[in-house]
Amino acid sequence: MPKIIFPVPREEDPVIFTFAPLAILRLAKMAQEAGYEPVILDAKQLKGDFLPRLEKEYKDDPALVWCSGKLGRQLKDLIAAAKLAKKVNPDLPVAFGGWYYPLDKKASLAPDYVDYVVSGQAERTIPELADALRQGGDLKSIKGLRGKNEDGSIWEAPEREWERNLDVFGFYPFDMIDMEFYISGAGGRCQTMVAGTKRSINYTYSRGCHGMCSFCHTTAIWDRGWFSHTPEHVVEELNRLITEYKVEGIDFHDTNMLTGLSRARKILEGIRDSGHKIRWKCSVRVDQVNALSDEMMELIRDTGCAEFATGAESSSSRVLGIVAKEVVATEIVDCSKRCEKIRHPFVVFFHGGFSRRTQLGRQQSHAFLHGYAAQHHAQRPGRIFLLHADSRNAPVQGLRGEVSASARYAGGLPYLLGLRSQHALGGRQAAEAAENGHALLFPLRHSRRLHEAAHARQRAGGYCAENSGTPVRLAGAQPALRLSLRV
């Protein structure tokens, strides 16, 4: 049976969370059903054996190497995996997908280690591509696929239609991976995904978001669409995780779990009615929380929700309007008060430097958090803290409460320690910075020069930093501002 190789990259180095590769599992299942043997090799688990194991598999003449992931640390492993494939066999086909590669076809296909790029849902595209490569089929007829002609020009097949009911892809094939490694956090060596649990796992039942946020990659990738499994499917799969794998905590990785509120309600009611006692957390939008009924808030609390996380982005209503966040600053406070009323943990993330006057934007966010943190710290001592440090890993000063650097961002993630700003770098400066070996972060729908700069960095053997799709001032150039307020 011909093989399809799925390298799984690390999100951080050193590894902090052992997130299960759910997207890869779905693709591997579709490949298996099409008659291929999926080989999943996770760098988080294999560590130093990652590339040697890949090299061994590459020598077995697989049908395809599939590389997909997010911008940031994941690209470093994916690029290394792709380059190794070409080193072992220059004719070995390598296809990329994920967050960035489908959005800029010219820059994505420029590196010589990339043969094809897949946009949209890849569950059906990957088996069709492997079949065409083995049988000499017409590649240009495969929807969602892009490639290069012999003269270097790019050809592009029509886009694939969205599959909106994700139930057609079936359940995750958890038996394809070592679930104990992911659930136990590498035997307790890594942080648990859900506070208060020892056995937790990430889970995703939907894709996309209806939000209009201009800086977010999700808007660009999914065209503001939202697709989901049915509640019955989700409840059955969660029950399996709880009963068969003894999971205590669920980290919902949906971009916005409360999209499709009636569906979310049925899922929570299913958790409640199952009688299982679990803890879970998710990402939400401020305006959606404010619109929830008291009954829904109590259901969320009573089913074991351990944390809401939301991107407030800015304390300036003007800036929120510029980035199409669809909320104003007072709604952020209202949302936190709603959560505080039922003593529900709430984490708010802010961007620093959305304003053209980046220093003013930083001061404004500091002032907002200063007053808010002081107010809540007086009520609940020890609950307020800031989750970032400057480029020298020194605590950010000026906020009351417990203010400290986060171990999560220290040392292993230096490329996230920059000032986030849509105006931090122009195209020319970005290109120069990339060639000089710095890590870059840029908007997914920004200028062509920034995309080219990113690939210049990739060709130099590096990678780009990812953090919600906004640009970053390079670490060491400006003090960092990655604000998180937990109440």
Side-chain angles (χ1 to χ4, degrees), residues 228-268:
S228 171
H229 284 289
T230 60
E232 296 77 13
H233 178 107
V234 177
V235 171
E236 182 176 348
E237 197 153 49
L238 292 178
N239 282 333
R240 181 190 175 197
L241 287 170
I242 296 167
T243 57
E244 183 176 338
Y245 294 101
K246 310 304 178 186
V247 166
E248 303 168 356
I250 302 292
D251 182 3
F252 286 100
H253 278 198
D254 305 81
T255 303
N256 187 352
M257 182 185 171
L258 295 181
T259 300
L261 186 57
S262 63
R263 191 169 302 213
R265 178 190 295 274
K266 290 179 180 178
I267 292 171
L268 296 182

Side-chain angles (χ1 to χ4, degrees), residues 209-425:
C209 178
H210 289 318
M212 298 176 62
C213 308
S214 62
F215 57 87
C216 185
H217 68 276
T218 304
T219 303
I221 292 175
W222 300 106
D223 296 328
R224 294 189 63 205
W226 184 81
F227 324 122
S228 171
H229 284 289
T230 60
E232 296 77 13
H233 178 107
V234 177
V235 171
E236 182 176 348
E237 197 153 49
L238 292 178
N239 282 333
R240 181 190 175 197
L241 287 170
I242 296 167
T243 57
E244 183 176 338
Y245 294 101
K246 310 304 178 186
V247 166
E248 303 168 356
I250 302 292
D251 182 3
F252 286 100
H253 278 198
D254 305 81
T255 303
N256 187 352
M257 182 185 171
L258 295 181
T259 300
L261 186 57
S262 63
R263 191 169 302 213
R265 178 190 295 274
K266 290 179 180 178
I267 292 171
L268 296 182
E269 289 173 344
I271 293 174
R272 179 197 62 193
D273 296 343
S274 71
H276 297 305
K277 300 297 182 182
I278 63 168
R279 290 173 64 83
W280 58 275
K281 68 179 185 178
C282 70
S283 296
V284 296
R285 283 179 57 93
V286 165
D287 50 351
Q288 288 184 330
V289 175
N290 288 340
L292 293 176
S293 66
D294 291 342
E295 178 193 6
M296 185 64 178
M297 288 292 287
E298 292 171 359
L299 178 62
I300 289 169
R301 177 196 62 194
D302 295 343
T303 52
C305 185
E307 181 182 291
F308 272 167
T310 188
E313 321 308 354
S314 175
S315 59
S316 166
S317 295
R318 181 185 67 84
V319 172
L320 290 172
I322 291 173
V323 300
K325 189 63 184 178
E326 301 176 279
V327 299
V328 295
T330 54
E331 292 180 76
I332 301 168
V333 179
D334 292 341
C335 180
S336 182
K337 288 180 177 177
R338 287 213 70 192
C339 293
E340 180 71 15
K341 185 177 179 180
I342 62 171
R343 303 193 69 78
H344 190 290
F346 184 55
V347 178
V348 191
F349 293 97
F350 290 84
H351 286 222
F354 263 147
S355 170
R356 287 183 180 273
R357 299 180 180 181
T358 56
Q359 183 64 29
L360 177 61
R362 292 171 57 206
Q363 291 173 350
Q364 191 170 18
S365 291
H366 268 112
F368 180 87
L369 289 179
H370 183 104
Y372 197 57
Q375 173 190 349
H376 281 265
H377 184 67
Q379 299 172 5
R380 302 174 64 182
R383 298 285 295 181
I384 307 301
F385 53 92
L386 189 67
L387 291 180
H388 220 307
D390 66 13
S391 57
R392 297 174 300 282
N393 200 31
V396 177
Q397 302 299 323
L399 300 182
R400 294 182 183 180
E402 181 186 347
V403 182
S404 63
S406 166
R408 176 175 180 179
Y409 296 113
L413 299 178
Y415 51 86
L416 289 182
L417 297 180
L419 175 65
R420 301 167 67 174
S421 168
Q422 285 191 325
H423 308 282
L425 293 174

Side-chain angles (χ1 to χ4, degrees), residues 18-38:
T18 53
F19 297 129
L22 299 182
I24 292 298
L25 282 182
R26 180 67 50 73
L27 299 175
K29 177 180 181 179
M30 300 299 288
Q32 186 179 64
E33 291 178 354
Y36 294 90
E37 178 186 349

